[in-house]
Amino acid sequence: VTSDILQSILCSNHDTTNPTFFDAFIEALGKGHRALLSSLRCQTPFVIENTALLLHLLSSHAPATASEIRDAALSSGILLQHFHAAIFSPLEGQRFLSRYLCSLWLSGSLDCDEKRLLKRMVPSGFLGYLKMPMLSRVEEEQLDEIERDGIEAVGSRMSKDKGENELQPEESTLMSTSNDIETPTGAAGTNTSRLRERIAIADGKAAALPQHSTPENFRIFFHVLTQDHSLPDLIWNQQTRRELRIALENEIQMIKREIDTLGGLDLIA
């Protein structure tokens, strides 16, 4: 309930909120940003959507706090968990929301810390896709359909081959994760159309602020990560995706062990 009230005041109905009150809410929200990150572990899609939108508002209206949030998301493993889900989750709603969060936490100039991290995770040939023109609503939905069909095809093959022939590991890259890692699933029921509309409202509120960088096309970026490439500067296929998935899961497990050793999430975040 609290997240919905805050989201309504600061995003959906921001035009009815007094600017002074808006700034006061943003400041208070920034002080409680760790609680927002914790809310991402909730299993209620609407709460997670509200949390993501509030994080979006902090990223545009409180840059210093946004930097602290990015650091906390990385040190706690939350960023890596959502990067993993953004590519490999078979749940469309989860992929959409995780990609949205990653776009908040990984945006910036090519020499910023976020891009250095991205270069360590994927080939640099992918970064050029971030500069592509932003997509229309129809184009985004077309990409959604392509990915949905691809995952459904893999699922059908897995069902068909079950009990007959063992599915090759690379065929199930988008359909499997280690049982030992905590993968986000709470956004599985996310209504992507509704969230797109709410993101557009948040973008509209942010548009009134001075823009220091060009928007990056993370929608294309994550889509091409699910496709095969054989280019002079980019070799990418089922095997390399599988290697990325395993590397991410190993890193997430290591962070989890470190958090457990320190006695809890707050100590490392």
Side-chain angles (χ1 to χ4, degrees):
V1 176
T2 301
S3 69
D4 198 33
I5 293 173
L6 286 171
Q7 185 280 138
S8 178
I9 292 172
L10 299 175
C11 184
S12 297
N13 298 299
H14 68 84
D15 53 340
T16 64
T17 303
N18 182 289
T20 301
F21 290 147
F22 182 93
D23 292 342
F25 275 117
I26 287 291
E27 182 179 358
L29 194 63
K31 293 178 180 178
H33 67 265
R34 290 190 180 184
L36 278 180
L37 288 176
S38 296
S39 295
L40 292 175
R41 301 177 184 274
C42 177
Q43 292 298 305
T44 304
F46 206 68
V47 172
I48 299 176
E49 290 177 33
N50 288 336
T51 300
L53 290 165
L54 292 173
L55 288 169
H56 182 151
L57 289 169
L58 285 176
S59 72
S60 56
H61 289 80
T65 300
S67 179
E68 293 179 14
I69 292 172
R70 283 194 295 270
D71 290 344
L74 179 58
S75 63
S76 63
I78 292 175
L79 191 157
L80 294 184
Q81 288 172 1
H82 281 282
F83 191 80
H84 180 286
I87 304 170
F88 301 113
S89 176
L91 309 171
E92 182 178 357
Q94 185 63 63
R95 289 197 310 276
F96 183 90
L97 191 132
S98 290
R99 291 174 181 186
Y100 176 44
L101 289 172
C102 287
S103 72
L104 299 179
W105 295 330
L106 293 173
S107 61
S109 62
L110 285 176
D111 59 349
C112 69
D113 291 341
E114 291 75 22
K115 286 299 186 297
R116 293 193 185 99
L117 171 63
L118 204 52
K119 291 176 184 176
R120 292 177 60 186
M121 293 193 291
V122 301
S124 58
F126 279 117
L127 299 188
Y129 290 99
L130 292 170
K131 300 177 182 179
M132 294 186 68
M134 303 303 287
L135 303 179
S136 67
R137 174 74 172 268
V138 172
E139 289 170 329
E140 288 186 354
E141 291 175 348
Q142 288 173 341
L143 287 187
D144 291 344
E145 185 68 26
I146 291 172
E147 291 183 19
R148 190 181 306 121
D149 290 345
I151 288 179
E152 287 177 355
V154 171
S156 297
R157 287 200 302 273
M158 290 177 71
S159 298
K160 180 180 178 181
D161 293 345
K162 186 177 181 181
E164 298 178 6
N165 300 304
E166 183 178 354
L167 193 66
Q168 293 299 313
E170 55 270 17
E171 286 189 82
S172 59
T173 302
L174 289 176
M175 302 292 291
S176 63
T177 57
S178 168
N179 292 328
D180 297 327
I181 71 165
E182 179 184 354
T183 55
T185 59
T190 293
N191 183 319
T192 55
S193 294
R194 178 184 64 203
L195 183 54
R196 275 197 178 98
E197 292 174 357
R198 299 170 85 196
I199 290 172
I201 294 172
D203 284 338
K205 179 64 177 174
L209 300 172
Q211 300 299 308
H212 301 292
S213 61
T214 303
E216 295 177 293
N217 199 330
F218 278 92
R219 182 64 191 89
I220 284 287
F221 172 80
F222 279 112
H223 174 72
V224 295
L225 279 170
T226 69
Q227 308 298 303
D228 292 350
H229 305 274
S230 183
L231 303 170
D233 64 339
L234 182 58
I235 303 297
W236 193 249
N237 50 45
Q238 294 280 15
Q239 179 58 34
T240 54
R241 277 192 292 276
R242 182 170 181 268
E243 292 169 359
L244 172 63
R245 177 175 60 78
I246 292 172
L248 285 170
E249 291 174 1
N250 289 339
E251 189 68 19
I252 292 168
Q253 289 174 342
M254 185 183 72
I255 292 175
K256 184 178 184 302
R257 286 194 295 268
E258 184 175 350
I259 290 173
D260 291 341
T261 299
L262 291 175
L265 183 61
D266 288 342
L267 293 178
I268 193 168

